[in-house]
Amino acid sequence: MKTVISTDRIAAVELLRKGELVALPTETVYGLAASALNPIAVAKIFEAKERPRFDPLIVHLPNREWLKRIAELPAGHRQLISKLADKFWPGPFTMVLPKRKVVPDIVTAGLDTVAVRLSAHCVFAEIVGELDEPLAAPSANRFGHVSPTTAQHVFDELGGRIPLIIDAGPTEHGIESTIVAVRDGRIEILRRGPITGEQLSEFADIVCVAVTQRIFAPGQLPSHYTPTTPLLLIDNAEAFPLQKNQRVGLLALGGACPSPRSSQLEGFAAVRNLSDRGDLREAASNLFRYLRELDALGLDLIVAERIPSRGLGAAIMDRLERATH
Ligand code: TXA
Ligand code: MG
């Protein structure tokens, strides 16, 4: 199959209407979209990604109105769910809710819950709005690979397998949406992301569901975002014992004064600084791109500097920890 990269939104809507796959930009990462109410179209997502059928997909709504058509809003939690939606939608935020019958089982991998999100990306919003049907869309990478943040990444992952990739430049956040479930009046964080625990704690008590406690799906398994090059987390790159004939790449997060550092980092075969200013938003948006770039250099090892596990730092560390397995 020939894969076209373009900005032709009308072609995207036409393909989706016909039950075909189209890769679309969102504010987090690029997604591989199909009509969520068409089980045959959704099956094509699993094929193209080589994704196991037990891993459920996120349903992206055309607008808030669609929420009650897709999901049940349990009476006891309706208020909290509405408040969260008011605050974080449209945006990089996904809620797992009891599903309605209209959602095909293949979308939820047989679970009685469905993950729903409303994307703020103007191109995504325009396409799903024009279609006026929800879209199932996982990240547009092959199973187990890091998520794509540019159209070219999608092409590298899925070229030849899908007809169309809509290009809207690099994505804003660079890491996948925060996923929560509301249970017993508390917010359970199932996947950390751009909406932080600190932000959520203003609405209810929060619990981070440890990976070992409850594994719904591979996105929550300890190892998921794996580059082919071994990756090691370290505390301080300057103190890393480089071996003579070992080619090591460094993924760093620059602090206030990056220039004096650079001379001390000469021994590394390649260095990518997630953010010279030490800005976590910038770091998150560069994370997967730099991991991909370092992975493509055929190095012996990639080392990544740990960052404080606070706010967005926790979401970044979460991706890095999984990538080390
Ligand atoms: O930012 C994002 O969320 C991107 C963009 C494209 O929207 N999508 C994304 O989808 O990251 P995906 O499929 O790569 O990750 C979705 C995660 C998976 O780990 C899946 O297991 C989990 O959401 N998930 C989906 N439905 C679920 C459910 N009903 N209960 C628990 N986890 C669920
Ligand atoms: Mg994914």
Side-chain angles (χ1 to χ4, degrees):
M1 182 186 297
K2 186 166 177 280
T3 302
V4 176
I5 301 182
S6 92
T7 56
D8 187 348
R9 299 158 198 201
I10 296 167
V13 174
E14 279 169 2
L15 283 166
L16 290 165
R17 210 164 257 147
K18 279 195 292 189
E20 297 300 331
L21 303 184
V22 181
L24 299 176
T26 82
E27 69 275 52
T28 56
V29 300
Y30 275 74
L32 180 60
S35 167
L37 305 181
N38 177 344
I40 294 167
V42 173
K44 293 178 188 171
I45 294 180
F46 288 88
E47 260 167 60
K49 280 184 58 101
E50 299 169 46
R51 178 169 170 130
R53 292 286 177 105
F54 57 77
D55 193 1
L57 306 177
I58 296 177
V59 173
H60 299 67
L61 308 175
N63 52 55
R64 261 294 273 283
E65 267 306 288
W66 270 89
L67 177 59
K68 55 181 188 293
R69 293 160 79 171
I70 294 299
E72 304 272 356
L73 306 181
H77 289 141
R78 202 166 292 158
Q79 242 191 338
L80 179 53
I81 291 165
S82 292
K83 278 192 195 160
L84 292 171
D86 288 344
K87 177 74 181 183
F88 299 116
W89 276 356
F93 183 67
T94 299
M95 283 191 278
V96 173
L97 299 167
K99 90 174 196 62
R100 284 198 183 274
K101 268 219 177 71
V102 63
V103 182
D105 283 333
I106 186 171
V107 172
T108 61
L111 295 176
D112 53 11
T113 55
V114 60
V116 283
R117 166 157 127 79
L118 195 64
S119 170
H121 196 288
C122 60
V123 173
F124 191 98
E126 186 187 317
I127 290 169
V128 72
E130 179 61 33
L131 191 71
D132 196 25
E133 258 194 29
L135 289 172
S139 52
N141 49 278
R142 276 177 279 152
F143 179 69
H145 290 200
V146 297
S147 296
T149 60
T150 67
Q152 184 60 45
H153 292 165
V154 180
F155 190 87
D156 297 343
E157 290 284 325
L158 301 174
R161 301 181 182 198
I162 59 174
L164 180 63
I165 300 167
I166 297 293
D167 188 356
T171 60
E172 180 192 343
H173 295 287
I175 54 172
E176 306 86 352
S177 63
T178 302
I179 305 182
V180 305
V182 174
R183 244 177 285 258
D184 306 325
R186 301 186 304 180
I187 300 170
E188 292 185 349
I189 301 182
L190 304 180
R191 180 174 72 185
R192 292 181 192 275
I195 304 300
T196 63
E198 287 85 343
Q199 284 172 286
L200 291 167
S201 66
E202 287 179 25
F203 293 86
D205 288 341
I206 60 165
V207 210
C208 267
V209 180
V211 169
T212 43
Q213 258 175 14
R214 177 178 285 154
I215 293 170
F216 283 105
Q220 289 144 8
L221 287 175
S223 163
H224 185 52
Y225 302 92
T226 32
T228 20
T229 317
L231 182 106
L232 187 69
L233 284 176
I234 58 170
D235 288 317
N236 180 359
E238 277 94 350
F240 184 74
L242 282 164
Q243 309 291 323
K244 259 242 158 74
N245 38 27
Q246 200 187 22
R247 295 180 67 236
V248 181
L250 170 66
L251 191 65
L253 183 71
C257 42
S259 29
R261 284 200 82 183
S262 34
S263 60
Q264 293 161 30
L265 301 178
E266 264 166 13
F268 288 97
V271 178
R272 293 288 184 285
N273 198 337
L274 289 170
S275 166
D276 289 334
R277 297 174 285 140
D279 176 64
L280 290 178
R281 289 186 67 110
E282 185 179 35
S285 75
N286 286 327
L287 178 67
F288 288 143
R289 179 158 59 95
Y290 287 170
L291 267 180
R292 265 173 205 278
E293 285 180 14
L294 290 172
D295 200 22
L297 298 177
L299 302 167
D300 299 310
L301 179 69
I302 301 170
V303 296
E305 283 185 315
R306 281 201 185 82
I307 56 174
S309 233
R310 283 190 303 272
L312 205 46
I316 295 171
M317 280 308 295
D318 175 72
R319 269 63 179 186
L320 283 174
E321 268 157 15
R322 289 173 204 220
T324 59
H325 283 255

